[in-house]
Amino acid sequence: MVVTVVVGGFFGDEGKGKVISHLARVDKPDIVVRGGAGPNAGHTIRSGNNTYKVRMLPCGFLNKSSRVMIGPGVVINPTVLYDEIKKFGVGGRVFVDRNCGIIEQSHLDMDTRGELKDKIGSTGSGTGPANADRAMRTLKLVHDLEEMETITLDVPGEIDAVVRAGGDVLVEGTQGTFLSLWHGTYPYVTSKDVTASGICADVGIGPTTVDNVIMVVKAFVTRVGTGPLDNELSPQETVRRGWAERGTVTNRTRRAAEFDYDLGRRAVMLNGADQLALTKLDILFPECSKVTSYDILSTEARLFIKTIERKLGIPVTIIGTGPEDTSVIDRRG
Ligand code: IMP
Ligand code: MG
């Protein structure tokens, strides 16, 4: 039995989607379950010739033997969810908890104007206003909507049954550590805690049930929206280095900075992470593109990895070397 939690170590967009897709494909967990805020998160997965962009579906959906679920802590936009289920043909094995929150038009309206949009640079997905209504105990939940009954489950109960039977569960976090409402760069944060503990609470797993916490960090730091970013590069320099990216949900250009060891070390602490997944190594070291074996990485790339391990204090067990979910070095042993 293995319960693995995957979280982001910086400001989101670390490449969790690709890492989770790899883990789901290789480990074939019985359940892949998503925690985190809501459809403010966007994940891009490239598998074979296909590019999948998801905002509600758990990224592990490409492994056909996994049931995929959304935990009660998450707020759902039913339109987005049903569109993705249909588009990617995953009906029949996607389930939401009866206590997931529901985003309505009023939340979308509130999130696309005013303070949240202008000052915080929110994604406009309605996630923050829905969580505010939840705190006010006025938000509708899944069990209030008859039309969602066919995909509704007791998600914590299902996870518990799998764990008791000796099965495997992959828990996917969204956003990143420093977007946490508790531990991030408040007020420039999302509307929830998104560290490993928060993600576990979202899906109904207690701390003693977790075996591994894999923290995903990218080879450089990016941030979309407002808020502090130490050693931020100019947009020109970001482009020159080939680090320019655009947001999956908002299509905004992402701000960028070099890998931040201090931030990484603090994120390891906050998440209780025991291993790291390092993504986009090929962007820093193009000679490592699509490499799947550690031994043939360049000396410079290996030195970078060793420096991260030394400064953050835990091993880098998964390394991303290209956008496809097969461009991965997996040293978990
Ligand atoms: P909200 O979560 O839509 O309220 O946005 C609050 C802040 O978090 C903004 O700076 C967003 O850009 C950022 N944010 C929220 N979700 C994500 C994500 O999944 N990736 C990156 N940034 C995010
Ligand atoms: Mg993203």
Side-chain angles (χ1 to χ4, degrees), residues 6-306:
V6 179
V7 289
F10 292 142
F11 299 97
D13 308 314
E14 299 93 352
K16 290 180 294 297
K18 176 232 175 70
V19 170
I20 291 160
S21 185
H22 163 79
L23 293 172
R25 210 162 36 76
V26 172
D27 297 348
K28 305 193 185 340
D30 301 273
I31 294 178
V32 182
V33 58
R34 173 165 170 165
N40 50 351
H43 297 293
T44 305
I45 309 152
R46 261 178 62 182
S47 191
N49 292 325
N50 298 315
T51 301
Y52 304 88
K53 286 184 188 290
V54 292
R55 291 174 54 194
M56 289 265 51
L57 272 185
C59 298
F61 76 90
L62 286 176
N63 175 47
K64 294 191 167 60
S65 68
S66 300
R67 285 189 299 160
V68 299
M69 302 184 184
I70 301 178
V74 180
V75 293
I76 287 177
N77 180 328
T79 311
V80 174
L81 176 64
Y82 281 116
D83 278 355
E84 290 178 359
I85 291 175
K86 204 168 139 203
K87 194 158 142 199
F88 303 133
V90 285
R93 58 186 180 92
V94 178
F95 302 94
V96 300
D97 190 84
R98 59 190 307 279
N99 290 334
C100 288
I102 299 293
I103 296 173
E104 298 193 87
Q105 188 57 46
S106 60
H107 304 119
L108 289 164
D109 294 343
M110 208 179 299
D111 210 7
T112 44
R113 58 177 159 75
E115 282 267 292
L116 280 170
K117 188 79 198 169
D118 301 339
K119 182 176 160 200
I120 311 297
S122 79
T123 58
S125 60
T127 304
N131 277 326
D133 276 357
R134 199 172 200 180
M136 294 304 287
R137 271 52 63 88
T138 56
L139 187 69
K140 271 192 196 147
L141 303 184
V142 161
H143 64 75
D144 296 318
L145 303 182
E146 250 165 61
E147 61 271 26
M148 292 195 80
E149 211 174 296
T150 53
I151 65 164
T152 303
L153 271 184
D154 167 18
V155 168
E158 294 294 322
I159 295 172
D160 184 60
V162 164
V163 169
R164 281 173 189 279
D168 295 342
V169 178
L170 179 59
V171 182
E172 48 176 272
T174 59
Q175 285 82 35
T177 303
F178 298 101
L179 291 176
S180 163
L181 184 59
W182 304 159
H183 304 292
T185 52
Y186 186 91
Y188 305 102
V189 292
T190 193
S191 48
K192 298 192 47 183
D193 176 34
V194 288
T195 60
S197 316
I199 299 297
C200 287
D202 287 340
V203 305
I205 291 180
T208 55
T209 305
V210 175
D211 298 288
N212 306 118
V213 176
I214 302 179
M215 188 176 96
V216 185
V217 288
K218 194 155 60 181
F220 48 96
V221 183
T222 59
R223 174 160 205 169
V224 64
T226 35
L229 176 62
D230 285 349
N231 305 313
E232 182 171 354
L233 301 174
S234 68
Q236 296 85 330
E237 180 61 13
T238 305
V239 170
R240 197 190 65 77
R241 295 190 186 199
W243 295 2
E245 298 179 352
R246 276 179 179 278
T248 307
V249 175
T250 55
N251 201 35
R252 293 178 292 190
T253 50
R254 292 180 184 153
R255 301 150 61 201
E258 281 185 9
F259 192 93
D260 188 329
Y261 295 97
D262 293 334
L263 217 49
R265 196 161 34 229
R266 185 163 179 85
V268 168
M269 174 188 93
L270 291 168
N271 289 295
D274 66 331
Q275 43 193 303
L276 295 166
L278 174 66
T279 60
K280 295 216 171 184
L281 188 69
D282 55 302
I283 303 291
L284 249 55
F285 305 98
E287 73 279 7
C288 299
S289 177
K290 297 185 182 174
V291 166
T292 55
S293 158
Y294 184 81
D295 300 329
I296 55 175
L297 288 177
S298 63
T299 314
E300 292 75 17
R302 273 182 287 161
L303 182 63
F304 180 56
I305 293 164
K306 283 191 188 123

